[in-house]
Amino acid sequence: MKTLVTGSTGFLGSWLVKLLIEKGTPVRVLIRRKSPELEALGVECVHCDLNEGEKVTAALEGIDCVYHAAARPGVWGASEDYFRDNVIATRNIITGCKDQGVSRLVFTSSPSVVIGDRDLEGVDETTPYARNYLAEYPRTKAIAEREILEANGPDLMTCALRPHLIWGPGDNHLIPRFLLRASQGRLRIVGSGKNLVDTVYVEDAARAHLLAAEKLVEQSKVCGSVYFISQEEPVVLFEWINRIISAAGLKPIQARIPAGLAYSIGAILEGIYGCFGIAAEPPMTRFIARQLYQSHYFDHHKAREELGFKPLYSMEEAYNKLFESEYFRELCREFR
């Protein structure tokens, strides 16, 4: 089965490529810039932007399965940029798949599409989409996820996965951000510091995508379905962050800020940055504040029963794999 991966130079996408190659699966990737690392792996590289519809369609010729992991992440930026990269790009993938007869499409979504103003504790996939979004990323991911699921049919079978807080070796966003801010003394425990969250080790997140593709067959329950993916061991958020920070030789977070104050500061900063057209991300936003003080963990029966997904690693094993990696050792040298 010949596959195509979008977002292959990103964290999750690069792991998808790695696991597919290990299985002996032919892989094609869509990338905007030259990637010596991917070329060295023997991957077929096609250079185009996901917003170039005709080029995307042409690149999908001969492909059996697409893993659409590319997205514009973050919590700050122009609405039109998020809509272009998360919605229009997804529409181009769907159109290209249909035009070229691609039979399977696995979409990387996000639990943030259902996270609103309340804690989510052990909820399942019947949880409705949030009524209001405090950032363009979850809003546009929700639109894209809906369109992916609506595109499911006998000729193109689709599903969406919602991995939560992906971490592990190769993370170019979350862990470096924690360590940088910890080294600068800029991290605070927001709220009670007792909120529980799901996380997922990157290798398990990537493996869940491969399982989903295998299960996308005619009349399968997976077709047109969505799944929460995690290690199935919710953690106290700031204990998890402090475990990583401490392993890097940095002081754990002790300073605190009330949840309401963090939310208000986020609102004020969003107003100031928006008023003056500041492109840089504010140090706090309402969306980030909620992510830091709310609980959000999920029921995983559906993924276990329909995908056959069970994490390979316990949280303790995942910690050890991270801390023993050269990636983490390099980060420690950089931030100590």
Side-chain angles (χ1 to χ4, degrees), residues 123-236:
V123 300
D124 64 19
E125 288 82 356
T126 62
T127 305
Y129 291 103
R131 286 180 292 180
N132 298 296
Y133 294 103
L134 298 180
E136 287 302 304
Y137 173 75
R139 185 182 75 84
T140 53
K141 288 296 283 187
I143 295 171
E145 180 187 282
R146 280 173 160 155
E147 295 191 10
I148 285 283
L149 300 180
E150 289 169 0
N152 178 69
D155 296 323
L156 175 62
M157 296 170 286
T158 70
C159 68
L161 304 189
R162 296 171 178 169
H164 194 253
L165 286 179
I166 305 174
W167 61 286
D171 179 7
N172 54 5
H173 177 67
L174 204 61
I175 293 175
R177 185 176 182 138
F178 290 159
L179 298 186
L180 173 62
R181 294 197 174 191
S183 69
Q184 298 171 337
R186 295 171 56 204
L187 287 177
R188 301 288 185 273
I189 295 173
V190 179
S192 69
K194 297 179 181 179
N195 51 311
L196 290 172
V197 302
D198 266 333
T199 72
V200 61
Y201 186 69
V202 63
E203 185 178 346
D204 277 320
R207 194 173 62 85
H209 284 67
L210 270 59
L211 286 171
E214 292 173 3
K215 299 290 185 178
L216 273 178
V217 295
E218 288 185 24
Q219 299 182 340
S220 166
K221 291 182 179 179
V222 177
C223 298
S225 291
V226 63
Y227 301 90
F228 290 118
I229 301 295
S230 84
Q231 294 312 107
E232 302 181 6
E233 294 181 55
V235 296
V236 177

Side-chain angles (χ1 to χ4, degrees), residues 255-272:
R256 295 175 178 270
I257 182 172
L261 179 57
Y263 187 89
S264 296
I265 290 171
I268 292 168
L269 289 174
E270 287 179 48
I272 293 171

